[in-house]
Amino acid sequence: MVGSNESGNLGISKDVSDILLHSGYMKVDGADMNPAISEHGFHFLLMDRASQVWSFIQLYLDTVESRGQNFVECITFLLQLNFFTLGKDFPAGGLTESQQKFLQHLRELGLVFQKKRTADRFYPTRLAVNVITKQNKSIGESKDKGFIVVETNYRIYAYTDSRLQVALLALFCDMLYRFPNMAVGNITRESVRQALMHGIKSEQIINYLTMHAHQEMLASKPVLPPTIIDQIRLWEIERNRFEFTDGVLYNQFQSDNAYEVLRDYAKDIGVLICDNSKTRTIVVTKQGHDDVRKFWKRHKK
């Protein structure tokens, strides 16, 4: 998964990679030009799987004509896919060239199963069934649903063998141990701060843990320990104590009068950010810098 410590081939075509780049879920970062996950990509990963599938399909259809495919043929095939039966095979020979290309992209994403690219039959998967209606119950997440236990000491137990789910937890947890069917981690101030720096919000973390809480935790109200919920929110508030505004500094005024004239002008036109009469310094917005500079030149003359 992009953004995790897993290495190796992503297993997707250039077309799919280009769609992810176009959507803003991935970005080209660094001199090696390798794709990396973006802030929007982290948001995408923490969505429920039905929303992820539908979001990607929408992005695919938005860019389908730029790849030389026929939009009507692709949307027709997608609508037909919605009425296919799970576990039943369907012929691929009657598909148009655009639909064949669409089929291969769906195969890469796990929406259909085809033994090999040249096979003349394919099977819709659980991910594809009723994708148009975006029903969570049809997406088939039962294997990993209800697998997280959160304790009041910030320890997390994930009863899953899914590398993806463990990688998602690692976005905001320090992973400690990994067993064949369980992973253990800690929610720490630093791990949550790293997630916040990547654009993940505290509510997204809380919603993700709640959404995948183990059935034993569902008996409690609220599902997550209140201390955990409050602390995650406090860590976000702690990081947002400061607001940063780009500005331009004016200083080295020759007199108090010159300082006051420029300060009053910047205040009158609404571009003054802050000022200090003791040090004779003024900070104005970058947008108002040109107006203030032109005024100051006129005033000095």
Side-chain angles (χ1 to χ4, degrees):
M1 185 185 74
V2 178
S4 73
N5 293 325
E6 302 293 341
S7 60
N9 191 348
L10 292 177
I12 62 175
S13 66
K14 184 179 183 301
D15 285 338
V16 174
S17 179
D18 288 343
I19 293 170
L20 294 173
L21 289 170
H22 173 78
S23 67
Y25 292 153
M26 290 167 60
K27 61 183 178 181
V28 176
D29 194 17
D32 53 6
M33 300 299 288
N34 286 330
I37 194 167
S38 67
E39 177 180 332
H40 296 297
F42 283 108
H43 295 174
F44 175 81
L45 287 175
L46 295 180
M47 292 163 59
D48 62 85
R49 195 168 300 172
S51 299
Q52 288 178 338
V53 172
W54 183 236
S55 176
F56 186 86
I57 291 297
Q58 288 178 307
L59 291 168
Y60 185 95
L61 294 175
D62 286 341
T63 59
V64 69
E65 292 181 341
S66 66
R67 293 185 298 277
Q69 295 173 257
N70 187 292
F71 176 82
V72 175
E73 291 178 356
C74 289
I75 195 70
T76 300
F77 179 66
L78 183 62
L79 290 170
Q80 291 173 344
L81 187 66
N82 187 52
F83 295 100
F84 287 169
T85 303
L86 182 67
K88 184 178 179 182
D89 63 322
F90 296 90
L95 300 178
T96 66
E97 184 178 347
S98 291
Q99 291 173 336
Q100 287 281 2
K101 192 173 183 179
F102 189 23
L103 176 65
Q104 295 308 314
H105 292 151
L106 295 178
R107 177 173 175 258
E108 293 173 18
L109 297 169
L111 294 175
V112 298
F113 171 77
Q114 194 178 23
K115 191 171 183 180
K116 54 184 180 180
R117 295 178 66 91
T118 57
D120 59 355
R121 313 292 291 185
F122 68 91
Y123 301 80
T125 66
R126 290 187 182 276
L127 285 172
V129 176
N130 291 332
V131 67
I132 299 298
T133 55
K134 193 186 164 186
Q135 294 179 2
N136 275 310
K137 64 181 181 180
S138 65
I139 299 300
E141 295 181 294
S142 57
K143 182 180 179 181
D144 288 320
K145 224 170 191 178
F147 65 95
I148 295 177
V149 173
V150 182
E151 296 185 336
T152 54
N153 60 357
Y154 302 93
R155 183 64 59 90
I156 284 186
Y157 300 91
Y159 295 92
T160 178
D161 58 0
S162 169
R163 294 170 65 190
L164 172 62
Q165 295 294 354
V166 173
L168 288 177
L169 283 174
L171 294 178
F172 53 85
C173 293
D174 286 335
M175 303 310 298
L176 302 176
Y177 315 110
R178 178 74 186 272
F179 303 104
N181 60 349
M182 185 182 74
V184 182
N186 270 343
I187 298 179
T188 66
R189 178 175 179 268
E190 186 58 33
S191 66
V192 172
R193 282 173 59 85
Q194 287 295 323
L196 295 172
M197 288 172 62
H198 285 104
I200 299 175
K201 307 298 182 185
S202 61
E203 290 304 319
Q204 289 178 310
I205 296 174
I206 294 168
N207 290 340
Y208 178 82
L209 293 174
T210 303
M211 185 191 312
H212 296 285
H214 194 277
Q215 60 181 0
E216 293 296 328
M217 295 191 64
L218 297 178
S220 305
K221 298 297 178 184
V223 175
L224 300 180
T227 53
I228 302 296
I229 296 174
D230 292 341
Q231 188 59 68
I232 292 174
R233 287 173 176 161
L234 286 172
W235 281 329
E236 181 178 44
I237 294 172
E238 179 186 72
R239 185 174 179 271
N240 295 334
R241 285 182 297 178
F242 298 98
E243 292 185 4
F244 297 92
T245 305
D246 291 333
V248 178
L249 175 68
Y250 288 81
N251 58 5
Q252 298 182 351
F253 291 96
Q254 298 300 319
S255 66
D256 288 340
N257 181 60
Y259 159 77
E260 292 170 358
V261 167
L262 193 64
R263 180 201 60 189
D264 293 343
Y265 175 77
K267 185 183 296 184
D268 290 342
I269 64 174
V271 299
L272 180 67
I273 296 177
C274 65
D275 64 281
N276 189 315
S277 58
K278 292 182 179 180
T279 58
R280 294 180 184 172
T281 54
I282 298 172
V283 179
V284 301
T285 63
K286 291 185 70 174
Q287 294 78 8
H289 169 55
D290 286 339
D291 290 337
V292 174
R293 179 171 53 84
K294 291 175 183 177
F295 171 82
W296 184 238
K297 284 184 177 180
R298 293 195 305 268
H299 177 76
K300 286 197 298 185
K301 291 179 181 179

